[in-house]
């Protein structure tokens, strides 16, 4: 049903790379601690991990590494059970790293979420990462009750296919009861943009540290950051974004012009 109301109704936030740069200093060391714990002779460095991030989802990523990089896991009766155990251990170490305060929110994230709440915009999390990783990051980096700020937390295995498939965005839109064109997604990576494009959700990119060479075709705009009154003006890498930082009024005006 075509809605006549063209106002922006909801912001859909990706997590890893968008809310915070969680990969290099969060998930990566957590993986290596989990590998060591179970005696798996894998040690991923930052360069290799940047390549492995093309595969979303930890179990998918580890299975990809074992097969495509010819680094077989130990022969066990149930490989899936071993991968689940590694994933659980990795997430426990990740939660400890998050709780230590080692992963600050990206500049402007706290401000934009606060502005969006004050403006009555509806908020959702739409991520490939596990729900427990979302909880840890929101509680420790945003606010103890921050999970309640998001009407929908669409995360991880809740859908059969992870980004770049659109499933997780379809799930979030269905739970919100909104059309794709009523919302704006915030993403950091090519996989995220591809998921949005497939779901028809307009997407604003703040490029993640691992994503500077990604193809963001289909994004409404590509910026280096959200910026803010206390930050340098945002760098516009693609799209017709004019404001010095991403504020709710600037988003709403720009969004209306996209229609
Ligand atoms: C990023 C991912 C996730 C994380 C690790 O998700 O692809 O796999 O790297 O989290 P997004 P898990 O950018 O969509 O937030 O271990 O839970 O997979
Ligand atoms: Mg991301």
């Amino acid at each position: 049903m075509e809605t006549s109301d063209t106002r922006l109704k909801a912001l859909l936030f990706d997590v890893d790379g968008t809310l915070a740069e969680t990969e290099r200093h969060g998930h990566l060391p957590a993986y290596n601690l989990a590998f060591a714990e179970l005696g798996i002779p894998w040690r991923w460095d930052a360069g290799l991990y940047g390549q492995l991030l093309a595969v979303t989802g930890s179990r998918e990523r580890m299975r990809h590494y074992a097969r495509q990089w010819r680094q077989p896991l130990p022969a066990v009766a149930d490989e899936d059970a071993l991968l689940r155990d590694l994933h659980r251990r990795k997430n426990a170490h990740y939660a400890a790293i998050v709780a230590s305060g080692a992963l600050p929110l990206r500049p402007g994230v706290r401000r934009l979420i606060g502005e969006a709440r004050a403006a009555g915009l509806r908020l959702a999390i739409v991520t490939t990462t596990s729900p427990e990783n979302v909880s840890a990051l929101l509680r420790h980096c945003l606010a103890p009750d921050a999970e309640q700020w998001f009407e929908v937390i669409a995360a991880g295995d809740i859908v059969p296919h992870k980004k770049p498939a659109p499933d997780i965005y379809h799930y979030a839109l269905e739970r919100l009861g909104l059309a794709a064109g009523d919302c704006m997604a915030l993403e950091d990576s090519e996989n995220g943009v591809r998921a949005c494009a497939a779901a028809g959700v307009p997407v604003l990119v703040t490029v993640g540290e691992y994503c500077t060479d990604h193809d963001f075709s289909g994004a409404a705009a590509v910026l280096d950051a959200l910026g803010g009154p206390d930050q340098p003006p945002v760098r516009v890498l693609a799209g017709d974004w004019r404001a010095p930082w991403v504020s709710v009024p600037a988003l709403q005006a720009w969004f209306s012009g996209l229609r």
Side-chain angles (χ1 to χ4, degrees), residues 125-150:
I125 294 288
V126 186
T127 177
T128 298
T129 197
S130 308
E132 60 267 33
N133 296 339
V134 179
S135 301
L137 195 73
L138 293 181
R139 276 186 291 110
H140 291 294
C141 298
L142 192 53
D145 66 337
E147 290 173 84
Q148 281 72 46
W149 300 0
F150 299 86

Side-chain angles (χ1 to χ4, degrees), residues 44-252:
W44 291 350
D45 64 23
L48 167 61
Y49 191 57
Q51 298 180 68
L52 296 178
L53 278 173
V55 178
T56 56
S58 273
R59 292 194 303 283
E60 297 85 344
R61 186 173 296 143
M62 291 187 283
R63 194 176 290 117
H64 166 81
Y65 181 67
R67 294 179 183 158
Q68 303 305 319
W69 292 69
R70 295 185 174 73
Q71 300 290 330
L73 283 161
V76 292
D78 186 343
E79 185 178 272
D80 281 344
L82 173 56
L83 288 171
R84 282 195 301 275
D85 190 12
L86 278 169
H87 193 192
R88 184 181 51 76
R89 290 168 183 264
K90 186 277 286 184
N91 285 352
H93 288 298
Y94 174 75
I97 293 169
V98 170
S100 75
L103 303 178
L105 295 175
R106 289 190 65 178
V109 167
R110 179 182 299 278
R111 172 188 55 76
L112 182 63
I113 290 172
E115 286 182 18
R117 295 183 72 210
L121 281 179
R122 299 169 65 184
L123 300 180
I125 294 288
V126 186
T127 177
T128 298
T129 197
S130 308
E132 60 267 33
N133 296 339
V134 179
S135 301
L137 195 73
L138 293 181
R139 276 186 291 110
H140 291 294
C141 298
L142 192 53
D145 66 337
E147 290 173 84
Q148 281 72 46
W149 300 0
F150 299 86
E151 277 183 58
V152 175
I153 296 183
D157 294 319
I158 198 87
V159 291
H161 307 291
K162 294 182 170 69
K163 301 174 187 175
D167 302 37
I168 197 74
Y169 277 99
H170 287 151
Y171 174 87
L173 292 170
E174 190 269 329
R175 292 280 309 280
L176 286 165
L178 289 174
D182 292 333
C183 307
M184 171 65 66
L186 292 105
E187 278 278 359
D188 71 302
S189 70
E190 180 173 342
N191 278 332
V193 169
R194 287 169 58 196
C196 289
V201 176
V203 54
L204 174 64
V205 175
T206 51
V207 180
E209 66 176 340
Y210 265 121
C211 309
T212 52
D213 60 345
H214 283 200
D215 176 359
F216 294 118
S217 305
V222 181
L223 311 178
D224 66 331
L226 291 174
D230 57 345
Q231 301 283 324
V234 298
R235 279 195 309 121
V236 181
L237 307 171
D240 184 22
W241 180 270
R242 308 280 173 88
W245 67 81
V246 180
S247 65
V248 165
L251 262 180
Q252 287 171 321

